[in-house]
Amino acid sequence: MASEFLVRIHDLHKRYGHEEVLKGVSLNVRPGETKAIIGPSGTGKSTMLRCINRLTDPDQGQIWLESTEVTAHGVDLNKIRQQIGFVFQDFNLFQHLTALDNVRLGLMKVKNMPKDRATELALYELKRVGLEHKANAYPNQLSGGQQQRVSIARALAMEPKLMLFDEPTSALDPELIGEVLKVMKTLADEGMTMLIVTHELGFARSVCDEIIFMEKGFIVEQGSPEQLFNNPKQPRTREFLSKLSELYGESPA
Ligand SMILES: Nc1ncnc2c1ncn2[C@@H]1O[C@H](COP(=O)(O)OP(=O)(O)O)[C@@H](O)[C@H]1O
Ligand SMILES: [Mg+2]
């Protein structure tokens, strides 16, 4: 039977040595939903994202992308990863390739697209993130914000069903954060399904459908931005939010 969810995560556990970093995380995402994952560092947010496209293998629990069990033995990992775009904090662009080549590489190598078609599509994706004019620039000729937008274009070119963002603006100078968040907001408005680990509470509040607060390997609380930011039920959520606003002098309001 078809599920109403694009992604289902059930009772995910992951251990590194003696440390259990995911202690039974369950989470569902509907098509078109954008969810923010917030929480202190070292609490398993990246590990959870990485389990979804099997960059990390969980010890226990299941993940489904539509009707495919991602965590099943013998699953076609290439096929799964083609359907999931992953944007990292540090961009992960190939330094020896131009923006255009970074975006078109997967189309040619993974999707076996002819060069002219791949070029056309890559230029379209660069245009979507406002960087068509930088197609021939190398990463070191681009600002951090521009590099991150190239990396988003590269992920989008594969036409993913799901986009995962792991602190996409954490490595950026403050004045460059907005241009990346703007691209992400447009994607959300266009109906892309996204899971975003972020400390940008203002963005999370205004763009995301749901906020998930994770701590020490658990989802402590999840809810609408209004509920979680204005009226958190758990004392730990309240403490975390007030600590963040102390640190950044920012409130999500
Ligand atoms: N490959 C790894 N090997 C050993 N420990 C790891 C590895 N990846 C993450 N960890 C540990 O798992 C815990 C959770 O890490 P992570 O998922 O990166 O947290 P977050 O993204 O919330 O900061 C941390 O204590 C981290 O040191
Ligand atoms: Mg992390």
Side-chain angles (χ1 to χ4, degrees):
M1 204 178 79
S3 164
E4 64 185 301
F5 297 111
L6 182 74
V7 186
R8 284 177 292 153
I9 300 176
H10 176 69
D11 197 28
L12 208 62
H13 289 256
K14 177 67 184 179
R15 179 179 283 284
Y16 286 115
H18 293 298
E19 191 193 7
E20 194 174 28
V21 303
L22 294 177
K23 298 170 181 160
V25 170
S26 298
L27 174 66
N28 295 324
V29 189
R30 289 191 172 77
E33 270 186 329
T34 295
K35 297 197 186 205
I37 301 163
I38 64 172
S41 69
T43 58
K45 303 183 301 296
S46 296
T47 303
M48 191 196 62
L49 280 197
R50 293 168 61 87
C51 285
I52 298 175
N53 74 347
R54 292 276 302 276
L55 287 172
T56 296
D57 283 331
D59 297 322
Q60 194 185 314
Q62 289 88 37
I63 300 171
W64 288 268
L65 181 67
E66 294 180 324
S67 58
T68 305
E69 190 191 331
V70 172
T71 41
H73 286 290
V75 78
D76 184 346
L77 283 183
N78 285 332
K79 198 172 159 200
I80 284 171
R81 288 177 187 158
Q82 276 185 47
Q83 302 178 70
I84 302 176
F86 207 124
V87 175
F88 300 88
Q89 179 173 334
D90 53 3
F91 328 135
N92 273 15
L93 295 176
F94 291 108
Q95 294 300 312
H96 65 292
L97 296 181
T98 62
L100 176 62
D101 281 330
N102 266 286
V103 178
R104 124 180 119 170
L105 188 68
L107 295 173
M108 291 165 62
K109 294 266 185 233
V110 180
K111 290 205 164 177
N112 295 315
M113 209 176 263
K115 190 171 185 177
D116 54 350
R117 176 78 189 108
T119 304
E120 196 183 328
L121 196 60
L123 287 172
Y124 167 78
E125 297 298 349
L126 284 170
K127 192 173 179 184
R128 256 174 111 181
V129 300
L131 286 174
E132 201 183 24
H133 62 296
K134 293 289 185 184
N136 295 317
Y138 288 87
N140 68 9
Q141 298 170 319
L142 298 172
S143 73
Q146 290 171 331
Q147 290 184 61
Q148 191 58 298
R149 287 189 280 148
V150 172
S151 118
I152 293 172
R154 177 178 60 179
L156 292 175
M158 301 300 283
E159 298 188 314
K161 290 179 173 156
L162 171 71
M163 287 282 286
L164 305 175
F165 294 84
D166 194 355
E167 300 199 29
T169 59
S170 293
L172 300 177
D173 291 334
E175 73 273 21
L176 302 177
I177 290 174
E179 66 192 62
V180 173
L181 294 181
K182 190 175 154 210
V183 168
M184 292 166 62
K185 180 184 183 327
T186 304
L187 290 180
D189 291 345
E190 290 171 1
M192 178 60 77
T193 311
M194 308 199 278
L195 274 179
I196 305 168
V197 175
T198 186
H199 301 297
E200 294 293 329
L201 300 188
F203 171 83
R205 171 184 285 270
S206 61
V207 173
C208 296
D209 302 300
E210 189 167 67
I211 314 295
I212 294 160
F213 172 56
M214 266 183 83
E215 191 179 55
K216 295 181 182 162
F218 291 107
I219 292 179
V220 174
E221 181 167 0
Q222 55 187 315
S224 69
E226 292 72 25
Q227 188 251 302
L228 197 121
F229 290 134
N230 296 356
N231 198 12
K233 292 198 184 80
Q234 301 297 328
R236 286 300 306 137
T237 313
R238 264 178 253 145
E239 278 168 45
F240 174 72
L241 290 173
S242 68
K243 213 171 263 166
L244 261 197
S245 57
E246 259 172 51
L247 274 177
Y248 296 103
E250 178 204 18
S251 90

